[in-house]
Amino acid sequence: MISRGVAVLLMGLMVLYKAAQLSPPQDAVLPADTATICTRIRLRDGRYLAYRERGVARERSSYKVIVVHGFGSSKEMNFQAPQELIEKLGIYFLLFDRAGYGDSDPNLKRSTKSEAYDIQELADQLKLGPKFYVIGVSMGSYPAWSCLKYIPQRLEGVALVVPVVNYSWKSLPENLTRLDFRRKLIQWTLWLANYTPELLYWWVTQEWLPSTTFVEKNPIFFNNRDIDVLKKDPGFPMLTKDKLRRRQVFDTLLNDFMVSFGKWEFDPLDLSNPFPRNDSFVHIWQGYEDKVVPFQLQRYVSGKLPWIRYHEITDGGHLIVHYKGVCEAILWALLNGEHLPEKMTTAITLH
């Protein structure tokens, strides 16, 4: 039972990676002044953090948006919007490799708090100004929650896109989580990671584990629209056997997973409204048919925090960030307020 459960969970983790690593839609275009050179800054603790700038030039931008990648992804993740919107609104994007990913140094002391302070220090060194926007995708949502806890005064607005939910949050009701198979799988993996990490490392590098092709066609994790997205760009490059055999890759993924689903220093449902004047909002974007993170949990979280604006895509799965029109809608709601133009709401079919 344990072996089958771990194998299924590993497939689920591939889903979290896939949610941030797909190629951009064909109609998504980056502005001409988009940066393509990887640059790094040195943090106060001596670690190097790699970043990438996109969109309009920082100096002439009206909105500065930091995009936080998820599990197994990097600063190369694709969060795309039409060039027309980027130019019209004057959006500057800052993407970075979280600790241990891509070209950034690992952080052996990674925590929810360190994730928020990495973002703050990056923003300060690049002189983004006193406030900025944050978008967290999938597992990249826990650094965004951390920003709401530790640096709320620096935030202009926040969007959480298919955010993972930590089943150890004490405020989650038992009736919502007790029978959720994902909860048990996560608990097993955390137990293995804490007590037998070598066994877990051996396990994930075995040749008999299900292939990523099997995962991509598996309705356990994806709805029909997700599968259509995967048909255009299959594969989980960072979670291949060859990559996972590199101990640094395995350790980074495991460390990130343990912080995301381990015990936090705070419960998000205890947070206060970071925008008491209602001059901005926190947004959650969720797919009704998401099989990685149940919509019931997102509805509960949003219901307990009235300062969150909840957007649910009727036929959306976990890969909604790759659906046509969704990134545009996320940006519009985040930067211009809650209400979306009619053409966006009809394109993405919101509940």
Side-chain angles (χ1 to χ4, degrees):
M1 181 180 297
I2 295 177
S3 61
R4 182 181 300 175
V6 173
V8 172
L9 180 59
L10 290 172
M11 291 189 290
L13 296 183
M14 294 177 186
V15 174
L16 295 178
Y17 169 74
K18 191 67 173 180
Q21 198 65 18
L22 293 168
S23 297
Q26 292 183 353
D27 61 345
V29 182
L30 290 175
D33 60 357
T34 296
T36 57
I37 299 175
C38 167
T39 313
R40 304 204 304 173
I41 63 164
R42 186 174 184 179
L43 302 173
R44 284 189 292 267
D45 62 6
R47 289 183 293 119
Y48 282 92
L49 206 65
Y51 67 92
R52 189 175 187 181
E53 300 171 289
R54 292 186 173 184
V56 303
R58 189 191 325 160
E59 297 76 14
R60 67 180 184 88
S61 64
S62 300
Y63 301 99
K64 297 175 175 63
V65 181
I66 300 177
V67 182
V68 188
H69 71 77
F71 184 80
S73 188
S74 72
K75 63 183 179 300
E76 308 302 326
M77 70 166 288
N78 295 303
F79 186 90
Q80 302 295 335
Q83 179 177 351
E84 180 183 0
L85 177 69
I86 296 174
E87 290 287 355
K88 178 180 178 180
L89 297 182
I91 307 172
Y92 159 88
F93 293 102
L94 176 60
L95 301 94
F96 69 102
D97 290 330
R98 296 196 289 119
Y101 286 105
D103 299 300
S104 290
D105 293 337
N107 182 5
L108 300 180
K109 298 180 180 180
R110 184 201 299 270
S111 66
T112 54
K113 182 182 290 188
S114 73
E115 292 283 301
Y117 287 136
D118 280 0
I119 291 173
Q120 177 173 250
E121 189 168 352
L122 176 63
D124 288 342
Q125 290 204 33
L126 294 181
K127 297 180 171 57
L128 297 194
K131 292 191 175 186
F132 44 82
Y133 293 87
V134 172
I135 298 176
V137 180
S138 193
M139 198 181 285
S141 60
Y142 87 81
W145 280 118
S146 300
C147 288
L148 288 166
K149 168 64 176 178
Y150 296 112
I151 57 169
Q153 74 284 358
R154 303 299 305 275
L155 303 176
E156 197 76 57
V158 176
L160 306 170
V161 186
V162 291
V164 295
V165 174
N166 187 320
Y167 289 89
S168 69
W169 295 347
K170 295 181 180 179
S171 54
L172 289 179
E174 186 70 15
N175 65 312
L176 275 182
T177 62
R178 183 176 62 254
L179 301 179
D180 192 335
F181 75 94
R182 287 157 288 235
R183 177 188 181 185
K184 293 295 184 183
L185 295 178
I186 289 171
Q187 289 174 339
W188 273 118
T189 301
L190 290 174
W191 187 89
L192 289 170
N194 279 303
Y195 297 103
T196 59
E198 295 299 326
L199 175 61
L200 186 59
Y201 175 68
W202 172 83
W203 200 281
V204 300
T205 57
Q206 297 307 297
E207 295 295 337
W208 49 263
L209 279 177
S211 68
T212 58
T213 302
F214 169 78
V215 176
E216 291 161 7
K217 298 178 180 178
N218 198 321
I220 294 177
F221 303 109
F222 299 111
N223 74 340
N224 291 334
R225 289 195 69 182
D226 285 350
I227 292 175
D228 287 341
V229 171
L230 292 167
K231 287 178 181 177
K232 299 176 183 178
D233 192 350
F236 299 88
M238 192 171 179
L239 292 170
T240 62
K241 298 295 189 300
D242 289 340
K243 288 290 181 68
L244 286 172
R245 287 191 182 100
R246 300 179 189 177
R247 193 54 190 255
Q248 183 177 345
V249 172
F250 173 82
D251 288 344
T252 291
L253 294 172
L254 186 61
N255 176 251
D256 197 24
F257 180 87
M258 292 178 69
V259 174
S260 179
F261 291 108
K263 185 176 180 180
W264 289 17
E265 299 91 345
F266 66 96
D267 188 325
L269 275 73
D270 293 333
L271 294 177
S272 301
N273 185 356
F275 310 112
R277 297 180 180 178
N278 292 324
D279 51 350
S280 189
F281 299 99
V282 176
H283 299 262
I284 287 181
W285 289 81
Q286 174 69 21
Y288 177 74
E289 298 178 1
D290 191 333
K291 300 181 181 183
V292 178
V293 184
F295 72 89
Q296 294 92 336
L297 295 181
Q298 308 290 18
R299 288 183 180 181
Y300 181 82
V301 171
S302 301
K304 288 296 182 180
L305 300 175
W307 39 269
I308 286 183
R309 297 294 179 262
Y310 181 63
H311 312 267
E312 189 173 284
I313 298 178
T314 305
D315 56 351
H318 195 67
L319 304 183
I320 60 172
V321 75
H322 301 285
Y323 296 179
K324 183 177 180 180
V326 171
C327 286
E328 183 177 1
I330 291 170
L331 288 170
W332 190 273
L334 179 65
L335 305 180
N336 286 323
E338 178 183 3
H339 301 292
L340 305 177
E342 184 178 354
K343 68 174 184 177
M344 293 187 190
T345 57
T346 55
I348 61 178
T349 318
L350 292 170
H351 263 308

